[in-house]
Amino acid sequence: MTGIRHDYASINGIRLHYAHAGTGPLILFLHGFPEFWYCWKQQLEDLGRDHHAVAPDLRGFNLSDRPADVKQYKVRILIEDVRQLAEHLGHEKFVLVAHDWGGAVAWAYAMAHPQTLSRLVIVNSPHPVTFARELAHNPAQQDASQYMNLLRSDKAERVLSENNYERLAKMTLEGWGAGTVDPAERAVYVEAWSQPGALTGSLNYYRASPLYPPTGDDPGAKAVKLNPADFMVRVPTLVVWGMRDQALLPSNLDGLDACVPDLRIERLPQTSHWVTHEEPERLNLLIREFIGA
């Protein structure tokens, strides 16, 4: 990983680890569950040629601080992490690229601080309005999201960490590359998952969110009423979507333009949820084209 450096920022009451490369305009990458900065390594190397490309470990993950309190993972706190990190890095305006849970944070950040973003790039992460709709009313998305109820449960840490994180690896690492996992790559992820408190920290994103599939005794997303007018994204936005995503269905794209007026959608028909692993070069080209780099 040529040219990638590592640093820490003391921001928003925590110590945040980040990897970064290059100098120039800031482009910030936010990972999802259960990953960490490392999933963006190819983007750091490529975009770091002419940008300051930065990928933090989000709070709760890997080498960043890992608060145990679920309340520390509320969206308003996660948004402030991003704002203060950009400020720490000395940039008033930047490009934000995000995947999965990082995308959930990025959507919310773009709504709260549009003046700080020049471009927003979202990779397989639904806007809260469309996701709430799909979880509440689409049986296919409800079925696809049943794993969320496991991840919210008290037994999640035990189930996911058994047999050296076997189930977590099956949910993630074995979902890309036709099930072939490089043992060295697996070891890197297991090391990140094994950081004290990291598994609980990453699961707390699910536990803190009101968006999850309904069950017989819990209405879940059906109890959430969102007014689209309150969730407008007024930043030029590119959404890249692997159409073979089995967890976040392409139906989450339907009606997205009502909340994102300046929107481009790039559908990748042969790609799953794990775009950064399956088509990193294509993603780099799409980002560069969109931001004019």
Side-chain angles (χ1 to χ4, degrees), residues 3-9 16-31 36-41 43-49 51-58 81-82 85-91 94-98:
I4 294 180
R5 313 181 296 278
H6 295 267
D7 280 300
Y8 288 84
L16 206 69
H17 166 261
Y18 62 95
H20 59 126
T23 58
L26 176 61
I27 181 166
L28 189 60
F29 296 89
L30 307 182
H31 66 81
F36 58 111
W37 76 264
Y38 182 79
C39 70
W40 297 112
K41 58 187 182 296
Q43 283 68 48
L44 293 183
E45 291 178 336
D46 184 280
L47 276 299
R49 289 187 284 122
H51 289 76
H52 188 197
V54 178
D57 290 328
L58 299 183
D81 285 352
V82 175
L85 177 59
E87 185 177 79
H88 169 85
L89 295 168
H91 294 267
F94 59 98
V95 175
L96 185 57
V97 181

Side-chain angles (χ1 to χ4, degrees), residues 59-163:
R59 70 164 56 212
F61 290 84
N62 193 35
L63 300 180
S64 288
D65 281 354
R66 304 171 287 273
D69 187 354
V70 172
K71 293 179 182 178
Q72 288 297 307
Y73 298 86
K74 293 291 188 180
V75 169
R76 61 177 176 79
I77 295 176
L78 304 175
I79 291 171
E80 187 62 9
D81 285 352
V82 175
R83 191 194 68 78
Q84 290 193 25
L85 177 59
E87 185 177 79
H88 169 85
L89 295 168
H91 294 267
E92 293 183 358
K93 200 153 192 170
F94 59 98
V95 175
L96 185 57
V97 181
H99 173 249
D100 188 76
W101 259 110
V105 177
W107 281 123
Y109 181 88
M111 296 171 207
H113 302 292
Q115 73 284 357
T116 68
L117 296 181
S118 58
R119 294 286 189 275
L120 174 66
V121 180
I122 298 289
V123 184
N124 282 71
S125 183
H127 185 283
V129 168
T130 62
F131 194 38
R133 178 197 70 210
E134 294 297 294
L135 282 173
H137 303 295
N138 184 346
Q141 183 60 67
Q142 291 170 356
D143 289 344
S145 293
Q146 285 305 309
Y147 72 93
M148 296 177 73
N149 288 327
L150 166 63
L151 300 187
R152 289 170 52 81
S153 72
D154 293 339
K155 66 181 181 180
E157 284 88 345
R158 174 181 58 79
V159 171
L160 295 181
S161 63
E162 286 174 345
N163 300 320

Side-chain angles (χ1 to χ4, degrees), residues 2-15:
T2 307
I4 294 180
R5 313 181 296 278
H6 295 267
D7 280 300
Y8 288 84
S10 294
I11 51 109
N12 204 21
I14 62 168
R15 190 167 180 252

Side-chain angles (χ1 to χ4, degrees), residues 4 8 37 45 47 51 80 109 159 175 186 199 204-205 219-221 230 233 243-244 255 257 262 288 291:
I4 294 180
Y8 288 84
W37 76 264
E45 291 178 336
L47 276 299
H51 289 76
E80 187 62 9
Y109 181 88
V159 171
R186 182 189 180 106
L199 187 53
N204 281 345
Y205 282 71
D230 296 331
V233 175
M243 299 297 282
R244 293 190 175 184
D257 55 346
D262 191 345
R288 283 191 171 277
I291 67 176

